[in-house]
Each structure stands twice: as C-alpha cells, then as structure tokens.
Amino acid sequence: MDFAKIKEAAEGYKDDMTRFLRDLIRIPGESTQEEGVIRRIEEEMKKVGFDRVEIDGMGNILGYMGTGDTIIGYDAHIDTVGLGEMSNWTFDPYEGFETDEEIGGRGASDQLGGIVSGVYGAKIMKEQGLIPDSITVLVTGTVQEEDCDGLCWQYIVNEDKIRPEFVVITEPTDGNIYRGQRGRMEIRVEVKGVSCHGSAPERGDNAIYKMADILQEVRDLNDKLHYDPFLGKGTLAVSEIFFNSPSRCAVADMAAISIDRRLTDGETWESALEEIRELPAVKKYGAEVSMYKYARPSWTGLEYPTECFFPTWVLPENHAAAEAVVDAYKAMYGTPKVDKWTFSTNAVSIMGRFDIPCIGFGPGKEAQAHAPNEKTWKEDLVRCAAVYAAVPALYAKDAASEG
C-alpha cells in the first residue's frame, strides 16, 4: 500500500471537503429535522462515485462502495443540537467561518466533519483500488443521535438487516483513537404530595419539600458510584426539575427530577435504578423511580420507540479492528494515543446492544461539542480521510494472514 499516495490524495481533497462541510453547516439539521442535510450528503455521495446510495425508512443515508460480503462501516450522525443562547456566539452559527486552518459553525466538530471525511475516505479507497474484493464499505449518515444515541442503528440492524463486521465511529476524538465509552441512561424520580391553600400549608403535603430531601441524597450518591480503571467512574447529574401545583398560591402536589446517569463498566441499568430506589428519602416518601422512553418521529414520520438506556462498551486494544486503525495511523502520522470518549456515541447500540465491534477516530475535539463558537480543523478532515481509506485493506490483510 502506498501510504504517501493516500496522504497526498487526502490533502488534495482538502478544499472539496471544506466546501462540503461548510454546505452542511449552512443547513439547519437538529434531531428529527435532518432532511436537508441528508439530501446534501446524497448529492455528494453520488458526485464522488459511490456504487449505491440509499435512504432508509428512518431517514438514515447509506452509501456503499464495493461488493464483498464483509461490511466495514463508517458511521457519522448528521443531526446537531440547537444553538443555545445566541449572545454566546461571536459569529453566525449556520453561516460559520473559514480560515486557513479552521472551519466554524454548529456541527463542525459534532459531528458533520465525520461524514465529510468518511465520504472522501471512501472516494480515495475507490480511486486507488483499496477496497478488497471480499469487502463492502458502508458510510452511514445517521439521524436523531443527539435525541437518542444509537436508535438509528437499532433500526439499521433490526429493520435494514445490516450487520457490519465492525464500525469506525467518526465522532471527534481529539486526534486520538478511542476504544470505549461509558454508557448512560435517563431516569425519572417522581414524588406525590397533597395540595392545599398556600395560606395554611400545614393542611397539605408539599411534594417540593419531599423532593428537596431526595435531591440531597441523589447528590451524595454520585460520590459513591463504581469506578473502572479504564472508563473511569460512574456519574449522575440532575438535569431537570418539574412540579405540579394548582396555583402559585397552593402547595405543590407533585415534584419530579430527571437524572443523567453515566454507567461505567460493571454497572447495569437495573443496578442504577435500584441504587436510587434504596435511598432513604425515596423509600420514605414512596417516590417512583423509572427509566424514560423515547418515541419522537424521525424526519420521515417514522416512530421507533425505545427505552432511554445506552449500554457501556469497550473494545479490546488487540482487536483486529483497533489494530487496523492504529496501523493505518502509524503508517502516515506516527504513534497515536489510544483512549476513550467522555461522552456517548452511536456505539451504545452498535457494540453495546448488538456486540458489533466499534473503534473511534474522527475529526474535531470533544470540547467543541454542544458549545458556542463550535469549530473544527481542516487538517483533521484530511488526516481522518487518509486513515479511513487505508483501513479496509489493512484489516483484510491481517484477516488473511491469521486465516
């Protein structure tokens, strides 16, 4: 394999990748509203020579190169979060900006750059004959990840009947290669009270006061959660609070909180719920502890309900997929750092639910995700496209030598 030629090709497509990314940034594409972004990706995939391009029933775009029986996937979610407080932005988040080194705009790092590098990595593979006869390369632009990570891949595996040999997750990795992440779940704790007139609060039973006791114990529980040497500690954070009251002159008769629970290796959704149910105040007040469900329609109108549980996953460092990505990187850019994500990705379903190996390498930086003034780096787009292009042939070569 001529790695210098691969690097040269990726560098030669820098301007094309920049234009493509800036086009995608200009199209608003929050979760369930991604159609415009999907159509623009479809246009680019066809332009650069994908053998087949499809949009499935959920609205994910699937681009194929090659005809082999073994599928190697490159996944990029193409939805974004919203803009947040506009006064925090120093530029138009949809028009973005461009310098010699950087590209700014909502989704630049999280994670429209991933689909850009994936599309052009596949183009380089095809042009340089780097797709072995035994392999089909699948580049996916997936929807609703920001709303419900991994739901798109539940649909791809269960309904599209696609099961890759492994998947490269193209979320931002700060120039590193990632082989795992904590899982997560969304928990609701609800406590009831009895309303009465606010002038005589002793006649009622204030649900907000009950929740105040529960909140203190939930906060303290965070310090006691399980620790894993690689993925780190499990965590929880109260993310929302709700109440019900007949009026501002009445005692509240319901209070509830949402908890963002991050699960490290060795924790389960059952154990996470049970830890909260066993809190003294939760038991004292008979609070209900449950897991949220997600059933928001996609941009195609499809509802695909799921529980809000996103499993932990870890790929062994010596797995063939990890070695192929590391070897590709080494051949062109030196020895990479192999690490883990702080946040969650679609691999919660791909590997967490379906045990399909995942390895992470993508343009951009984690700290840019969901932040104002989001940006990415052109050199990241180039580097990722080059590494992606080399992976299938290296993986096939290693598989053949082991066979």
Side-chain angles (χ1 to χ4, degrees):
M1 192 182 305
D2 190 338
F3 291 107
K5 187 178 178 183
I6 295 171
K7 286 179 67 176
E8 182 182 1
E11 188 66 34
Y13 288 128
K14 181 191 289 186
D15 289 345
D16 297 276
M17 287 191 279
T18 297
R19 281 192 292 270
F20 183 26
L21 178 53
R22 296 209 64 194
D23 281 356
L24 295 178
I25 288 169
R26 290 186 182 103
I27 307 168
E30 295 179 30
S31 293
T32 76
Q33 301 169 45
E34 306 97 335
E35 182 176 7
V37 178
I38 290 289
R39 298 298 183 191
R40 179 63 186 87
I41 295 166
E42 179 184 33
E43 175 188 328
E44 196 77 6
M45 283 181 166
K46 289 179 176 178
K47 184 182 86 171
V48 305
F50 274 71
D51 297 329
R52 182 160 49 104
V53 181
E54 300 173 350
I55 298 173
D56 70 10
M58 189 175 202
N60 305 299
I61 188 162
L62 314 171
Y64 297 86
M65 290 281 206
T67 57
D69 293 334
T70 298
I71 297 175
I72 294 177
Y74 294 81
D75 178 66
H77 79 78
I78 54 78
D79 59 320
T80 72
V81 295
L83 303 179
E85 175 53 54
M86 287 303 300
S87 65
N88 289 329
W89 289 82
T90 59
F91 58 88
D92 183 326
Y94 289 131
E95 177 55 33
F97 74 84
E98 176 186 348
T99 68
D100 288 344
E101 292 85 27
E102 298 173 349
I103 301 167
R106 176 53 89 214
S109 270
D110 187 20
Q111 61 122 154
L112 296 171
I115 191 69
V116 170
S117 292
V119 166
Y120 276 85
K123 176 178 172 62
I124 294 166
M125 291 177 212
K126 184 173 184 178
E127 290 175 342
Q128 298 193 15
L130 298 174
I131 305 175
D133 292 341
S134 61
I135 287 175
T136 291
V137 169
L138 170 63
V139 179
T140 58
T142 45
V143 299
Q144 287 179 273
E145 191 271 353
E146 296 292 4
D147 253 16
C148 189
D149 28 327
L151 179 64
C152 47
W153 272 91
Q154 288 189 56
Y155 189 89
I156 288 168
V157 173
N158 291 330
E159 311 304 329
D160 295 336
K161 307 301 182 185
I162 296 170
R163 191 177 181 89
E165 181 100 346
F166 72 89
V167 177
V168 178
I169 303 294
T170 67
E171 290 261 19
T173 58
D174 293 44
N176 306 318
I177 293 171
Y178 289 170
R179 62 179 186 91
Q181 63 170 83
R182 294 179 302 168
R184 70 179 189 91
M185 61 187 298
E186 297 173 5
I187 299 171
R188 179 180 172 92
V189 182
E190 181 176 319
V191 65
K192 293 295 198 322
V194 177
S195 64
C196 69
H197 200 285
S199 64
E202 69 277 2
R203 296 173 185 166
D205 186 15
N206 198 317
I208 291 176
Y209 292 164
K210 292 179 177 181
M211 184 55 73
D213 291 344
I214 293 171
L215 279 167
Q216 297 302 315
E217 294 180 0
V218 167
R219 182 182 65 180
D220 293 343
L221 177 61
N222 180 66
D223 297 330
K224 305 170 186 176
L225 298 177
H226 179 66
Y227 176 82
D228 175 76
F230 176 59
L231 291 183
K233 183 179 163 297
T235 60
L236 62 79
V238 175
S239 55
E240 295 177 314
I241 189 163
F242 314 94
F243 75 94
N244 187 51
S245 177
S247 80
R248 289 198 298 273
C249 299
V251 164
D253 55 11
M254 187 280 293
I257 57 172
S258 299
I259 296 174
D260 177 346
R261 178 67 159 88
R262 300 290 158 154
L263 302 163
T264 197
D265 208 17
E267 296 183 308
T268 67
W269 67 266
E270 294 97 336
S271 68
L273 290 177
E274 194 60 24
E275 285 169 336
I276 296 173
R277 287 174 178 147
E278 288 299 311
L279 293 174
V282 169
K283 295 170 75 172
K284 176 182 177 180
Y285 298 129
E288 181 181 353
V289 181
S290 60
M291 191 190 317
Y292 279 98
K293 293 187 180 296
Y294 180 85
R296 194 177 175 197
S298 74
W299 69 263
T300 66
L302 175 81
E303 271 190 30
Y304 203 68
T306 191
E307 66 276 9
C308 292
F309 167 56
F310 312 93
T312 307
W313 63 277
V314 178
L315 185 73
E317 199 162 1
N318 63 353
H319 190 282
E323 290 182 341
V325 177
V326 169
D327 289 347
Y329 190 102
K330 277 183 179 178
M332 291 181 275
Y333 300 108
T335 302
K337 178 181 179 182
V338 178
D339 205 349
K340 60 190 177 295
W341 272 293
T342 300
F343 58 41
S344 187
T345 75
N346 278 332
V348 295
S349 281
I350 304 169
M351 189 166 180
R353 288 181 183 270
F354 299 116
D355 203 29
I356 298 167
C358 289
I359 185 72
F361 181 58
K365 297 186 186 299
E366 275 196 77
Q368 294 296 315
H370 303 185
N373 305 310
E374 183 179 355
K375 64 182 178 180
T376 195
W377 289 263
K378 293 179 181 180
E379 191 53 41
D380 282 9
L381 300 177
V382 170
R383 186 169 297 196
C384 288
V387 170
Y388 297 163
V391 165
L394 287 174
Y395 180 79
K397 180 182 177 182
D398 289 345
S401 64
E402 289 175 7

